[in-house]
Amino acid sequence: MQTDLSIDLDLIRRYNQPGPRYTSYPTAPHFTDEYGTEAFRRDLSEASSNTPLSLYLHLPFCQSLCYYCGCHMKVTQNPETIETYLTALKQEIDQLAAAVDTSRPVVQMHWGGGTPTYLSPDQIRDLGAHLRHRFSFASDAEISLEADPRTVTAERMAAAASVGFNRVSFGVQDVNREVQEAINRVQPIAMVEEAVGWAREYDYNGVNVDLIYGLPHQTLDRFDRTLDVTQRLAPDRIAVYSYAHVPSIKNHQRVIDQEALPSPDEKLRLFERALERLTGSQNGRAYRFIGMDHFARPDDPLSVAQDEGTLHRNFQGYSTRAGAEILALGISGISQLSGAYAQNVKAFPAYYDRIESDRLGTYRGYRLTSEDRLRRHVIMQLMCHFHLQKADIEERFAVDFDRRFASALEWLKPMEGDGLVTLTPEAIHVRPEGRLLIRNIAMAFDAYWRTDEEQPVHAQTV
């Protein structure tokens, strides 16, 4: 059930700090090169044949650079550069298929980037057909891709639909011209509307829209216009991401005028406005606040999964297919097995060298300990469902919850005093006010966060 949500700006200011997004636990900075290709192959061969698969393909190419971008991407107008990568990617698909039981059904697939819709229709069809030749896809598989409206055409949407794509996420970010020019991503509203129209014409049963708050020149009035357009498009899901300005890590972000960025308080008010607008009941089109930065229609599979206790979280965010092991292909991709993570190299020359020598793309990873599995389960329960029963954890992992997590419960007591959580002898319940600070709450159970002398660079929790 959707619970009324509100933002206490003073409380948010007090708790807003850098922290992990918990798309994994432990988080990626703790991966090590002690876990490599051979360990990954061994774990793949030993995996249960009853466990379904989820595929992630990283397609890193873009036609131009968006200044806010934090992805592993490459701007190119050279068709040969893209073809070289696709050839290596298909080789990696073959190598991975040889290492895993391909009778395991693929229940989910996602193409991210970069810009998957920068591929030509023929390239989309060829890559999709190659995957279907090597893996067994479930008839009800959720197959999605990210789309830049500037590269979307009717032919590309038709090509993706022909190989089974049924969900698409459009990167809208903001509809105001001054904001778009400041981030080098100019896309008229009519272009976005046309792209969404093609998705519906070709029977995509899930249309998502991605927005970003905290961009240069954004104001409440301007963001209202973006929300107006978004609600008029009536997508099934909406993601409202926080812009992380880290020019020390992403050099191209130095192009953005820091003076044009909203102040921390103004940025919080932008998200507050999105929360108010999207969860309100205007025109009967209210969305469910799933958590973090995700909103979905009450009848969307994401909302249903949360109601049924099957919602999951992985490197693509919230997911409906809990229990599936993720196999990631392409540069920077991170595979997520039941007991391990494996990350691909991030540089093109190293990737091509590894694929050519039949070493997959893996260069580092992490094998979970029993303690990691316990803490991951607790964190994901809180992140996905905002509630956990201690007895369930005790029965599943044979631990005394209060004794094992005594320090975490102490960490949470001030949050209980601030109305963020309710702590009882039987359970931990995240109150409506705490949903916006769920990352802070999860951090209480992160053994690495609590003990690391030097914390990795993370975005603010709100």
Side-chain angles (χ1 to χ4, degrees):
M1 289 174 58
Q2 176 66 53
T3 306
D4 289 338
L5 297 165
S6 62
I7 288 184
D8 181 332
L9 290 179
D10 289 334
L11 200 60
I12 296 293
R13 287 189 203 99
R14 188 143 49 87
Y15 281 99
N16 199 18
Q17 66 178 95
R21 292 180 59 82
Y22 293 114
T23 50
S24 72
Y25 180 84
T27 54
H30 296 285
F31 296 176
T32 170
D33 58 11
E34 292 178 5
Y35 184 99
T37 301
E38 292 311 310
F40 184 38
R41 285 188 194 274
R42 184 167 57 253
D43 286 341
L44 288 173
S45 68
E46 294 174 356
S48 168
S49 60
N50 296 322
T51 305
L53 296 173
S54 173
L55 302 180
Y56 172 75
L57 274 73
H58 191 73
L59 300 162
F61 301 107
C62 295
Q63 68 175 2
S64 61
L65 175 64
C66 300
Y67 297 153
Y68 62 82
C69 183
C71 301
H72 293 288
M73 53 76 66
K74 179 180 178 64
V75 174
T76 185
Q77 282 78 42
N78 186 346
E80 292 183 4
T81 299
I82 298 175
E83 278 296 335
T84 298
Y85 182 78
L86 292 177
T87 298
L89 188 60
K90 287 188 287 186
Q91 286 181 271
E92 188 186 11
I93 291 168
D94 295 343
Q95 292 170 12
L96 200 56
V100 70
D101 179 357
T102 53
S103 68
R104 296 165 62 184
V106 174
V107 297
Q108 191 173 49
M109 180 169 72
H110 183 73
W111 291 9
T115 308
T117 50
Y118 194 32
L119 301 187
S120 71
D122 284 345
Q123 289 169 333
I124 291 171
R125 281 189 289 265
D126 179 64
L127 184 57
H130 194 85
L131 285 157
R132 287 189 171 274
H133 176 66
R134 291 298 185 186
F135 289 94
S136 304
F137 282 74
S139 59
D140 63 345
E142 180 182 280
I143 306 178
S144 61
L145 79 163
E146 297 167 11
D148 180 342
R150 299 171 301 169
T151 63
V152 170
T153 63
E155 292 75 19
R156 284 178 168 123
M157 295 305 291
S162 73
V163 291
F165 281 89
N166 49 38
R167 297 199 72 96
V168 57
S169 293
F170 291 104
V172 174
Q173 324 312 4
D174 192 287
V175 304
N176 296 278
R177 180 79 183 203
E178 187 176 5
V179 176
Q180 292 181 351
E181 289 178 347
I183 61 175
N184 197 38
R185 190 186 177 100
V186 175
Q187 47 190 28
I189 293 171
M191 177 184 289
V192 176
E193 292 173 332
E194 187 174 43
V196 171
W198 283 325
R200 294 195 167 119
E201 179 182 345
Y202 289 105
D203 296 325
Y204 287 74
N205 57 31
V207 174
N208 308 347
V209 164
D210 297 340
L211 307 178
I212 298 178
Y213 68 99
L215 294 173
H217 303 295
Q218 278 183 331
T219 64
L220 282 175
D221 287 345
R222 286 175 173 170
F223 203 52
D224 264 331
R225 184 164 180 253
T226 295
L227 294 169
D228 286 341
V229 171
T230 301
Q231 290 181 297
R232 188 169 72 242
L233 294 170
D236 301 281
R237 301 176 190 172
I238 301 170
V240 186
Y241 296 115
S242 170
Y243 169 56
H245 189 63
V246 285
S248 62
I249 300 174
K250 298 294 180 180
N251 290 335
H252 57 264
Q253 291 186 353
R254 295 174 183 173
V255 178
I256 291 177
D257 178 8
Q258 288 199 187
E259 296 299 316
L261 294 172
S263 70
D265 276 6
E266 289 169 333
K267 185 178 178 182
L268 289 175
R269 289 191 176 93
L270 291 171
F271 185 73
E272 179 181 38
R273 183 62 57 86
L275 189 70
E276 291 171 349
R277 291 280 305 269
L278 297 179
T279 61
S281 58
Q282 299 95 330
N283 302 319
R285 293 180 175 179
Y287 289 82
R288 165 88 61 87
F289 177 57
I290 299 298
M292 292 280 293
D293 32 39
H294 282 54
F295 299 80
R297 296 248 186 243
D299 59 350
D300 184 87
L302 212 58
S303 296
V304 173
Q306 190 168 60
D307 287 340
E308 295 179 348
T310 59
L311 190 66
H312 183 58
R313 190 159 173 77
N314 57 35
F315 288 101
Q316 285 76 61
Y318 286 103
S319 168
T320 60
R321 304 300 170 101
E325 292 193 324
I326 300 171
L327 304 183
L329 300 113
I331 63 166
S332 78
I334 302 178
S335 296
Q336 183 172 333
L337 308 183
S338 59
Y341 301 106
Q343 183 171 19
N344 279 2
V345 293
K346 300 176 183 179
F348 288 92
Y351 177 68
Y352 296 144
D353 178 65
R354 296 188 73 85
I355 299 305
E356 185 64 29
S357 57
D358 193 24
R359 291 182 291 160
L360 300 175
T362 310
Y363 84 109
R364 67 171 188 165
Y366 185 89
R367 181 171 282 117
L368 279 74
T369 66
S370 58
E371 184 71 11
D372 293 329
R373 292 171 186 257
L374 165 62
R375 291 179 179 270
R376 178 175 68 176
H377 184 79
V378 169
I379 287 171
M380 294 308 166
Q381 280 293 113
L382 292 169
M383 295 288 294
C384 294
H385 307 295
F386 305 109
H387 181 85
L388 67 79
Q389 290 292 130
K390 295 178 184 179
D392 292 343
I393 306 299
E394 291 176 334
E395 180 179 355
R396 185 179 183 123
F397 293 95
V399 297
D400 181 318
F401 189 95
D402 287 349
R403 179 174 297 177
R404 179 63 65 88
F405 295 114
S407 63
L409 294 171
E410 283 297 317
W411 172 295
L412 292 177
K413 281 184 178 178
M415 296 186 182
E416 183 178 37
D418 286 328
L420 303 180
V421 296
T422 299
L423 307 176
T424 71
E426 297 79 26
I428 298 174
H429 178 70
V430 180
R431 295 172 58 84
E433 296 82 356
R435 286 181 161 204
L436 301 173
L437 292 162
I438 188 60
R439 290 162 69 185
N440 300 71
I441 294 167
M443 283 157 59
F445 296 92
D446 185 338
Y448 300 94
W449 181 265
R450 304 283 299 278
T451 58
D452 280 354
E453 292 184 5
E454 289 189 20
Q455 294 296 342
V457 175
H458 292 291
Q460 298 295 107
T461 50
V462 179

